[in-house]
Amino acid sequence: MPLPENIEVVHESGAGLRALYATHHMVLLVHNHWYHKITLPVKYFESVGYGRPAIIIGDSALARSVRDDGSNWNLASEEGVVPLLTPRRADPALYAERMLRCARNNRTIPG
């Protein structure tokens, strides 16, 4: 299934990543390597520190540890991403509410 036009896959770090946090609504974290079943990625904590909710996919330590508090999305597989982010379903108010919840739950302020 092709990605909708509002989804951009990037691999960034440092200043480039900070710029992305400032201009994007959320973070997609796909962890399908055996190592992720027992570890918590720094990128998750970094993203919520910027007040950006995460879409967490798969059976990972992160998926098992993140509270179901309405800040993040936990999906069983990649197939759930496109329907969640398809432009016709994308509701800016929903994303804004998730960002606020993420900021409140993690004591951060969205950028």
Side-chain angles (χ1 to χ4, degrees), residues 6-108:
N6 66 329
I7 296 177
E8 177 185 5
V9 177
V10 296
H11 299 278
E12 198 59 74
S13 63
L17 186 56
R18 286 190 293 279
L20 290 172
Y21 284 135
T23 59
H24 289 76
H25 298 106
M26 67 193 70
V27 176
L28 172 63
L29 299 168
V30 180
H31 297 111
N32 54 11
H33 189 271
W34 68 267
Y35 183 71
H36 294 117
K37 291 192 181 281
I38 60 171
T39 63
L40 297 173
V42 172
K43 292 289 186 234
Y44 169 73
F45 298 102
E46 189 174 70
S47 69
V48 297
Y50 279 90
R52 299 304 183 254
I55 300 170
I56 303 159
I57 297 174
D59 179 30
S60 65
L62 179 60
R64 292 187 302 275
S65 68
V66 172
R67 297 179 315 181
D68 183 15
D69 58 11
S71 297
N72 303 287
W73 290 268
N74 286 333
L75 303 176
S77 69
E78 291 87 352
E79 286 79 29
V81 174
V82 172
L84 178 66
L85 300 179
T86 300
R88 63 180 156 62
R89 293 184 179 211
D91 179 359
L94 171 67
Y95 299 133
E97 179 59 31
R98 294 272 176 148
M99 288 173 66
L100 287 173
R101 285 183 188 171
C102 186
R104 285 185 197 124
N105 292 338
N106 296 287
R107 294 186 172 88
T108 62

